[in-house]
Structure formats: C-alpha cells, structure tokens
C-alpha cells in the first residue's frame, strides 16, 4: 500500500471515529428527549388546558 493510500485510510478511520462519537451524542439526546416526553405524557399539556377553558 502506498503512503498516499495509508494516509487516506488513516483519515477515513479518524472520520469514522468522529462519526461514531457524533452518533453516540445523538443517541444520548434522543434518549433524553424520550424520557422528557414520557414524563410529560402524564401531565396535561398547558395548551390543551387553555383549549378546554375556552370550550367551557
């Protein structure tokens, strides 16, 4: 393998590592959003409360 090829492989490995780290951060954000959504499903949405008061 030529030096140019080795440099390209090293660059791609670094890029792959960065992408894997980014995916991990995205998954953590997604899990946090899911937890917040689950916590909020049991409490009434303030906009729904306003809608109910207008209909009454």
């Amino acid at each position: 393998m030529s030096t140019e090829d080795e440099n390209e492989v090293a660059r791609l490995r670094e890029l792959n590592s960065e992408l894997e780290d980014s995916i991990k951060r995205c998954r953590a954000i997604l899990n946090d959003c899911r937890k917040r959504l689950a916590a909020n499903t049991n409490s009434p949405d303030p906009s729904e409360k306003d809608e109910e008061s207008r209909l009454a």
Side-chain angles (χ1 to χ4, degrees):
M1 192 181 310
S2 72
T3 303
E4 187 177 314
D5 290 341
E6 290 173 358
N7 289 341
E8 183 70 8
V9 168
R11 189 186 70 78
L12 290 172
R13 285 187 175 145
E14 179 63 26
L15 177 61
N16 187 55
S17 177
E18 291 172 7
L19 290 172
E20 287 174 347
D21 291 344
S22 180
I23 289 171
K24 288 176 186 175
R25 290 190 300 272
C26 289
R27 284 184 178 143
I29 291 169
L30 180 60
N31 287 337
D32 184 51
C33 290
R34 285 179 175 157
K35 287 177 186 176
R36 290 179 186 205
L37 181 61
N40 289 333
T41 54
N42 293 333
S43 60
D45 185 352
S47 63
E48 289 177 11
K49 188 175 183 181
D50 292 342
E51 180 81 20
E52 291 172 8
S53 65
R54 280 186 279 171
L55 296 175

